Amino acid sequence: MSTWIAIGLTFVGCYLVKLAGLLVPAGALERPLVRRLAALLPVALLAALTAQQAFADGRELVLDAKAAGLAAAAVALLLRAPFLVVIAAAVAVTAGVRALTG
Amino acid sequence: MAEQTVPSDAGELAQPKPEPKPEPKPDAAVVRDGLGVGVAVGLSGFAFGVTSAGSGLTVPQTCVLSLLVFTGASQFALVGALVGGGNPFTAAAGAFFLGVRNAFYGLRLSQLLALPRAVRPFAAHWVIDETTAVTLAQPTRRSARIGFTVTGISLYVLWNLTTLLGALGAEAIGDTDAWGLDAAGPAVFLALLAPMLRTTRERAAAALAVVLGLGLLPVLPGGVPVLVAALAAPVVLYVEGRSARAAREELR
């Protein structure tokens, strides 16, 4: 039962914040500062998430095979590889590094 | 460092400019971008299904999480917190904090998509990292709407299908890490982020966010470091504004 409570609370909370963002009045969005902030916030959030998913395990910093995978993805991006190739490179390199070091 | 390049799948991206209208992007190219993201990220729902079922949640609980929450980072955070024996409120709080970033995405998408009021409650469900990133990469409102919709539909369907498969196959697959599946998440985010890093302002915000996000990880509760990292945006704008004012002062 406590698991279902947690699921329900998470759903309601996450949905409401998504809706809140979409419901901001158009007038407020016209102000230059709001526009610049709205454009820059996704960049900051995605960057932080990328780093945390690659270098964090819970609340601890770790450097493991995922870092190699992310590096491979970065190289693929610089080479203008298609999106799915970027992901495949990251997964393959991560698996390869683990196989070699495991 | 070499100039950040756009993945070739994205085609030529027109720079948004106030005066000349950006070149419209063919619908087929937008659909391909949306499907590419939807498929790549959707497949990683399998990893969530395996993780969730392997952590003690039932198959229905796992699937309901993907159907209702539909925010990968929050789903993983919730499962992780429940495994650690956290009570439902603290577990939900951590997942919620991770989900708060979607409000900022919604703020931006509100401008780009200009959705009719009646549509917003439904569209809200699909306001996540991936749909936002695809939408932001589009030059026109039409292609932004197509990108948002295609990414949202394909990702939602695949995410839920693969969650179910993962939950059912949890025992069979064993350790998903051995297959490198956990690298798919950060790689997707990096691929979505790369086209956004076009100017010094954006790169500065990203770099500062990474430092804040990782630096505060050991000292703040789960989910909060990402929100604090969002402060990189106003900080960069403030510094930029101050530099601009200083330059104007010198000209007087």
Side-chain angles (χ1 to χ4, degrees):
Chain A
M1 176 53 69
S2 66
T3 298
W4 283 112
I5 291 175
I7 293 174
L9 289 174
T10 301
F11 161 60
V12 172
C14 287
Y15 177 78
L16 288 180
V17 296
K18 293 175 178 178
L19 187 61
L22 279 188
L23 291 184
V24 174
L29 297 171
E30 288 309 313
R31 291 195 278 130
L33 179 60
V34 174
R35 293 183 72 96
R36 284 197 292 268
L37 257 183
L40 207 55
L41 278 165
V43 174
L45 290 159
L46 277 175
L49 269 175
T50 305
Q52 285 194 3
Q53 288 210 356
F55 301 112
D57 189 350
R59 293 177 58 186
E60 294 175 358
L61 297 181
V62 296
L63 193 66
D64 63 7
K66 278 188 292 185
L70 196 66
V75 171
L77 283 166
L78 290 175
L79 296 174
R80 293 179 164 273
F83 184 89
L84 287 175
V85 170
V86 172
I87 310 308
V91 170
V93 169
T94 299
V97 169
R98 287 211 174 101
L100 290 175
T101 62
Chain B
M1 186 180 106
E3 188 79 8
Q4 284 285 352
T5 55
V6 177
S8 58
D9 254 354
E12 200 63 35
L13 282 179
Q15 289 287 335
K17 293 166 188 167
E19 197 50 44
K21 289 246 176 171
E23 196 69 26
K25 196 170 173 181
D27 289 352
V30 182
V31 170
R32 187 183 60 224
D33 289 349
L35 283 178
V37 172
V39 170
V41 183
L43 292 181
S44 58
F46 186 85
F48 171 73
V50 171
T51 301
S52 180
S55 302
L57 272 73
T58 65
V59 173
Q61 286 168 338
T62 297
C63 292
V64 167
L65 260 175
S66 282
L67 284 164
L68 294 189
V69 176
F70 192 47
T71 301
S74 293
Q75 291 178 233
F76 276 103
L78 184 62
V79 168
L82 290 173
V83 171
N87 72 66
F89 298 98
T90 53
F96 171 79
F97 281 127
L98 271 172
V100 166
R101 71 184 185 285
N102 294 324
F104 300 121
Y105 295 150
L107 187 70
R108 179 66 175 134
L109 293 185
S110 186
Q111 295 174 319
L112 286 174
L113 299 176
L115 296 171
R117 190 167 295 275
V119 176
R120 293 181 196 180
F122 301 99
H125 197 43
W126 288 353
V127 173
I128 55 178
D129 308 290
E130 293 84 4
T131 52
T132 299
V134 171
T135 304
L136 291 182
Q138 307 309 322
T140 66
R141 173 162 297 156
R142 171 187 172 81
S143 57
R145 285 179 170 178
I146 293 173
F148 179 82
T149 305
V150 171
T151 306
I153 291 178
S154 58
L155 181 48
Y156 191 72
V157 171
L158 275 178
W159 179 254
N160 283 285
L161 277 178
T162 55
T163 292
L164 176 61
L165 290 177
L168 293 175
E171 291 180 3
I173 196 72
D175 186 10
T176 53
D177 285 5
W179 302 93
L181 289 183
D182 55 331
V188 165
F189 283 142
L190 186 67
L192 296 173
L193 180 65
M196 295 182 188
L197 301 177
R198 284 186 283 241
T199 67
T200 302
R201 174 200 290 177
E202 284 153 346
R203 292 173 192 169
L208 182 55
V210 167
V211 171
L212 285 174
L214 292 181
L216 296 170
L217 206 58
V219 299
L220 291 177
V224 177
V226 170
L227 294 181
V228 176
L231 292 176
V235 165
V236 165
L237 288 179
Y238 172 78
V239 170
E240 186 184 69
R242 194 173 63 175
S243 299
R245 281 192 297 271
R248 283 200 302 269
E249 290 290 328
E250 289 181 7
L251 288 179
R252 290 181 188 174

